[in-house]
């Protein structure tokens, strides 16, 4: 298989002529991007990041089901086949284990594959290559072998697709040493983090959300600069507050911001943290916020047991327990396979009102059940 990849992609020429790329933390990372210049959908942000990285580095190529002729199941790779040709935009059969393995082999050889899963639920077919072949090779080779590969695609619940197509894999992959796990929310996140992932020397699991692809977000002019890149492992404070900290990632950031707006009408100032990176986790930003607000609510749509929120709770207990003025609140998906029925599906996924109630409990502002009866 690797021989085919080498022949078709012209690896030898690419490796001889390719210019070394900048590291994942580009110089723009420390700037303020608050001044919005235009609106950009998450889909277009991802597409532009792929386009620019492919244009800048001939070692970058994408592969997966329907990424070429169909222009991507969610049109993220729109226009790239026409621009870069079938050698660098490769349609594959429906065999995740096969093309993930080819991608890892190409990364061993020095290329930078971006492997798309139509949904991360299908990555379970390829998990041996992701964990055993990609994540562990650098350690097992004593640092001699880098695996610069990105596994990307939609993650988590969509709508009406049942238990087998609705799982959140953030905690699954974040538990594995050797992987980096990124979870973009906004267009700025999607563009800056995908660029960082492609440039990174290690395997990156890039968890998008299907329901966010068509969402538009304001972006500053600097975000549209080809050199723009976000640092891996750094969270973003989306909204500052002083009474309670709410951590979230991916689609749940939007829910947390809506909850914070509702809470503000009741005099509760909530600080909302967009984690952006699940592994490595920005412990410093989380603990600094909790030391300020003295309360914590974690929000995720994955299963509660052994989840991302559980890890954040452990971090806070270990590093700043004495600052807590209330028990930590965890909001997560229901501990059941995702129901297909729409009414039950809504009950299985965190909602804005769940976050509001949890924050009020943490601030001792909830109404006792007996008083409400």
């Amino acid at each position: 298989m690797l021989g085919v990849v080498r022949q078709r992609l012209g690896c030898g020429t690419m490796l001889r002529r390719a210019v070394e790329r900048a590291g994942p933390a580009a110089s723009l990372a420390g700037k303020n991007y608050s001044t919005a210049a235009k609106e950009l959908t998450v889909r277009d942000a991802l597409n532009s990041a792929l386009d620019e990285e492919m244009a800048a580095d001939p070692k970058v190529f994408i592969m997966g089901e329907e990424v070429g002729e169909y222009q991507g199941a969610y049109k993220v790779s729109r226009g790239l086949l026409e621009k870069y040709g079938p050698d660098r935009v490769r349609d594959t059969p429906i065999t995740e284990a096969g093309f993930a393995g080819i991608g890892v082999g190409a990364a061993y050889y020095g290329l930078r594959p971006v492997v798309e899963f139509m949904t991360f639920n299908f990555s379970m077919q390829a998990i041996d290559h992701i964990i055993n072949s990609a994540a562990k090779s650098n350690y097992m080779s004593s640092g001699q072998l880098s695996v610069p590969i990105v596994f990307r695609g939609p993650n988590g619940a969509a709508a009406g697709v049942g238990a087998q197509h609705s799982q959140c894999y953030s905690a699954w992959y974040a538990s594995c040493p050797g992987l980096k796990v990124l979870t973009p929310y906004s267009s700025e996140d999607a563009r800056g983090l995908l660029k960082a992932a492609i440039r990174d020397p290690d395997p990156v699991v890039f968890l998008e959300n299907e329901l966010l692809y068509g969402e538009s977000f304001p972006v500053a002019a600097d975000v549209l600069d080809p050199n723009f890149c976000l640092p891996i492992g750094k969270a973003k404070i989306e909204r500052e507050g002083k009474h309670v900290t709410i951590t979230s990632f991916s689609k749940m950031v939007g829910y947390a911001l809506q909850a914070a707006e509702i809470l503000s009408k009741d005099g509760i100032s909530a600080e909302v943290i967009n984690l952006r990176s699940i592994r490595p986790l920005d412990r410093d930003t989380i603990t600094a916020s909790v030391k300020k607000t003295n309360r914590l609510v974690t929000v995720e749509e994955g299963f509660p047991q052994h989840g991302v929120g559980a890890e954040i709770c452990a971090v806070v207990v270990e590093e700043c327990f004495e600052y807590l003025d209330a028990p930590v609140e965890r909001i997560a998906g229901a501990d059941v396979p995702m129901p297909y029925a729409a009414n039950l599906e809504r009950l299985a996924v965190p909602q804005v009102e769940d976050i509001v109630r949890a924050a009020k409990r943490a601030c001792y502002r909830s109404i006792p059940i007996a008083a409400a009866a």
Side-chain angles (χ1 to χ4, degrees):
M1 285 184 178
L2 183 54
V4 174
V5 173
R6 291 169 58 186
Q7 179 184 2
R8 295 291 292 169
L9 295 175
C11 298
T13 302
M14 288 182 180
L15 293 178
R16 285 195 300 270
R17 297 180 179 176
V19 178
E20 288 297 320
R21 302 299 308 283
S27 59
L28 292 174
K31 292 187 177 180
N32 189 322
Y33 304 109
S34 60
T35 305
K38 62 174 292 187
E39 294 275 327
L40 187 69
T41 66
V42 171
R43 177 184 292 107
D44 288 341
L46 294 167
N47 178 266
S48 65
L50 287 169
D51 186 7
E52 291 172 5
E53 294 305 299
M54 292 179 74
D57 189 345
K59 293 182 294 183
V60 178
F61 72 99
I62 64 176
M63 64 190 304
E65 297 156 1
E66 300 184 344
V67 298
E69 294 290 345
Y70 193 67
Q71 305 195 67
Y74 299 97
K75 300 300 182 279
V76 170
S77 55
R78 183 181 61 246
L80 300 182
L81 174 64
E82 181 180 0
K83 187 171 183 178
Y84 297 103
D87 282 352
R88 297 184 63 195
V89 182
R90 304 192 64 86
D91 281 320
T92 67
I94 303 175
T95 170
E96 285 78 13
F99 64 75
I102 290 175
V104 173
Y108 284 171
Y109 198 80
L111 301 184
R112 291 183 175 272
V114 179
V115 174
E116 176 179 312
F117 295 118
M118 194 176 293
T119 162
F120 254 92
N121 298 278
F122 299 156
S123 74
M124 294 180 70
Q125 304 294 325
I127 201 166
D128 179 55
H129 287 301
I130 298 171
I131 302 297
N132 285 326
S133 300
K136 299 177 182 177
S137 291
N138 184 264
Y139 173 82
M140 294 179 70
S141 67
S142 297
Q144 298 179 73
L145 187 63
S146 293
V147 191
I149 187 171
V150 177
F151 301 99
R152 56 154 296 271
N155 169 71
V161 292
Q164 294 175 325
H165 293 150
S166 300
Q167 296 173 115
C168 177
Y169 287 88
S170 53
W172 291 51
Y173 287 117
S175 68
C176 180
L179 289 178
K180 294 175 181 176
V181 181
L182 305 181
T183 54
Y185 160 61
S186 66
S187 299
E188 178 181 317
D189 293 354
R191 182 170 159 80
L193 291 175
L194 184 54
K195 281 174 163 285
I198 294 171
R199 298 177 190 184
D200 200 86
D202 297 313
V204 178
V205 172
F206 197 85
L207 302 174
E208 302 154 13
N209 186 280
E210 177 184 338
L211 299 180
L212 288 176
Y213 284 139
E215 291 289 320
S216 293
F217 292 87
V219 294
D222 286 343
V223 176
L224 302 176
D225 189 293
N227 293 318
F228 174 73
C229 187
L230 288 173
I232 292 176
K234 182 63 179 175
K236 178 186 179 183
I237 297 178
E238 296 281 353
R239 177 176 178 139
E240 293 190 357
K242 59 184 180 180
H243 295 144
V244 59
T245 297
I246 304 176
T247 64
S248 54
F249 58 93
S250 190
K251 185 163 67 77
M252 291 294 110
V253 177
Y255 284 23
L257 289 170
Q258 292 179 51
E261 185 62 29
I262 294 171
L263 290 166
S264 69
K265 297 174 182 178
D266 289 331
I268 298 175
S269 174
E271 182 150 292
V272 177
I273 297 178
N274 172 7
L275 295 175
R276 284 182 169 171
S277 175
I278 303 300
R279 185 183 185 104
L281 186 66
D282 188 356
R283 297 167 179 246
D284 291 342
T285 294
I286 296 169
T287 55
S289 179
V290 171
K291 287 178 181 179
K292 178 176 68 172
T293 67
N294 310 117
R295 295 170 176 84
L296 173 66
V297 176
T298 70
V299 185
E300 63 188 306
E301 67 175 49
F303 300 130
Q305 186 159 327
H306 309 303
V308 175
E311 175 65 18
I312 292 172
C313 292
V315 168
V316 168
V317 168
E318 291 167 359
E319 298 186 16
C320 54
F321 174 76
E322 65 274 19
Y323 286 87
L324 288 173
D325 286 343
V328 173
E329 295 278 350
R330 274 199 303 156
I331 302 298
D335 198 21
V336 296
M338 180 64 71
Y340 177 73
N343 59 330
L344 297 179
E345 182 183 64
R346 189 181 189 281
L347 293 173
V349 178
Q351 303 296 326
V352 173
E353 55 265 31
D354 299 322
I355 305 171
V356 170
R357 284 194 293 265
K360 286 185 175 182
R361 286 195 300 268
C363 294
Y364 301 109
R365 295 281 294 277
S366 58
I367 302 174
I369 295 177

